[in-house]
Amino acid sequence: MKFTWQKDDQGEETVKTFLSRHGVSHRMFRTIKHDQGKVLVDHRSQRLGHLLIDPCAVTLILAPEKPDPGVPPSDGQLNVLYEDTNWLVIDKQAGLNSVPGPNNRSDTLVNRVKGYLLSQNAKDLVPHVLTRLDRFTSGLTLVAKHRFAQGLINKQMEDHSVVKKYVALVEGHVEKQHDLIDLPLRQSAGSFAQEVNEAGKSARTEYWVLENFGSLATLVEVQLHTGRTHQIRAHFSYLGHPLVGDELYGGQCGEFGMKRQALHAAKLVFVDPFTNKKLKYESRLPKDLADTLKYLRAEKSQ
């Protein structure tokens, strides 16, 4: 894996400073120091402390990341919406885990991406899932094909400038057309669920009402401003509007035909750090959620 930048001025700076300005992280510098990468200046190998003065080409070469033998490749279905040498944007179906865990290490999104990359004879076989979705949440997921891409986009992930918008169907009538839910969350004792608690971590969820179905349900668009586990599900449950189908948070499973939480990652926007271009993607509603909305609209019109 090779990346080259051009130094066009005669200002003095070290190779490390130059690369830092182009987004190379401290973790990546450690990788280079451990002989898993090297730097070329005008095609000659140089140390990170080498002083750059004249215009030159600086090239970073990284060895492929060692894949985990405990994560086997899978040839399961993968809905790829976008792909280049650095990124995959995948439309994940409900029911698929994002990453391997104790109960499933053989067929998750990561396993399927690994199988997909193997079929392309790729050398980097460690997918980095950047926008993880719960198992039964459908929609857009951003995956970095290699660790350098992950490192470059980390700042956007940390300051939440990667825009993630969801469509959720919640129980009951939501009165406020727009609001920002700013309530801290922590894990409930003895449960996988999250709960609103002053001792928890900051969690901010913004929403806009898209459509009301009387007292039955409300369709909302949601934007996350933090990335806590189950954030949307926990916040709406606390407000008395659990997601339709979300049994863990008090929603009625099977209501209106939904047999999983009615949550879909519908929009994704980020700036590609390799090109500085803003990339935007949208995903259509899956059939189960679309059919549920069709049913509710029919009920509303009667």
Side-chain angles (χ1 to χ4, degrees), residues 201-216:
K201 295 180 179 179
S202 173
R204 300 169 71 240
T205 304
E206 189 172 9
Y207 75 84
W208 298 261
V209 170
L210 297 177
E211 193 171 358
N212 283 113
F213 300 100
S215 61
L216 294 177

Side-chain angles (χ1 to χ4, degrees), residues 251-268:
Q252 297 300 310
C253 187
E255 190 171 18
F256 317 128
M258 286 298 300
K259 297 180 180 179
R260 51 104 178 179
Q261 67 256 17
L263 184 60
H264 180 69
K267 297 178 183 179
L268 173 68

Side-chain angles (χ1 to χ4, degrees), residues 28-54:
M28 198 58 62
F29 289 132
R30 289 197 298 270
T31 296
I32 296 170
K33 288 179 180 178
H34 286 87
D35 296 325
Q36 296 181 53
K38 63 180 179 179
V39 177
L40 306 180
V41 177
D42 286 339
H43 309 293
R44 295 181 63 181
S45 180
Q46 298 289 357
R47 295 182 178 274
L48 292 173
H50 175 76
L51 189 63
L52 303 174
I53 300 176
D54 297 323

Side-chain angles (χ1 to χ4, degrees), residues 41-212:
V41 177
D42 286 339
H43 309 293
R44 295 181 63 181
S45 180
Q46 298 289 357
R47 295 182 178 274
L48 292 173
H50 175 76
L51 189 63
L52 303 174
I53 300 176
D54 297 323
C56 58
V58 181
T59 300
L60 174 65
I61 300 175
L62 296 171
E65 194 171 359
K66 293 181 180 179
D68 183 352
V71 179
S74 168
D75 61 358
Q77 180 186 2
L78 200 63
N79 304 316
V80 177
L81 295 188
Y82 173 79
E83 178 180 11
D84 62 22
T85 56
N86 306 304
W87 314 106
L88 284 166
V89 177
I90 296 167
D91 200 352
K92 186 185 85 69
Q93 60 267 53
L96 180 66
N97 289 96
S98 288
V99 298
N103 298 322
N104 183 358
R105 297 194 61 81
S106 60
D107 189 28
T108 69
L109 182 68
V110 165
N111 300 91
R112 294 187 184 191
V113 172
K114 187 174 182 178
Y116 179 79
L117 295 175
L118 265 175
S119 72
Q120 298 179 324
N121 297 315
K123 294 182 179 179
D124 286 282
L125 299 174
V126 183
H128 299 272
V129 180
L130 299 168
T131 56
R132 296 186 186 184
L133 300 178
D134 296 339
R135 178 182 176 187
F136 290 105
T137 298
S138 56
L140 298 174
T141 302
L142 176 62
V143 178
K145 283 186 171 184
H146 51 81
R147 56 186 165 178
F148 186 50
Q150 180 197 30
L152 284 186
I153 205 170
N154 266 347
K155 187 177 185 302
Q156 291 183 59
M157 299 299 298
E158 290 168 359
D159 64 18
H160 306 290
S161 58
V162 175
V163 177
K164 298 174 287 184
K165 289 192 175 182
Y166 297 73
V167 171
L169 183 65
V170 304
E171 294 185 1
H173 179 80
V174 177
E175 293 187 2
K176 289 186 178 180
Q177 293 298 299
H178 170 249
D179 200 8
L180 176 66
I181 308 168
D182 190 354
L183 296 168
L185 294 172
R186 73 172 186 182
Q187 188 170 347
S188 302
S191 172
F192 293 112
Q194 301 291 307
E195 65 179 7
V196 171
N197 191 290
E198 291 182 358
K201 295 180 179 179
S202 173
R204 300 169 71 240
T205 304
E206 189 172 9
Y207 75 84
W208 298 261
V209 170
L210 297 177
E211 193 171 358
N212 283 113

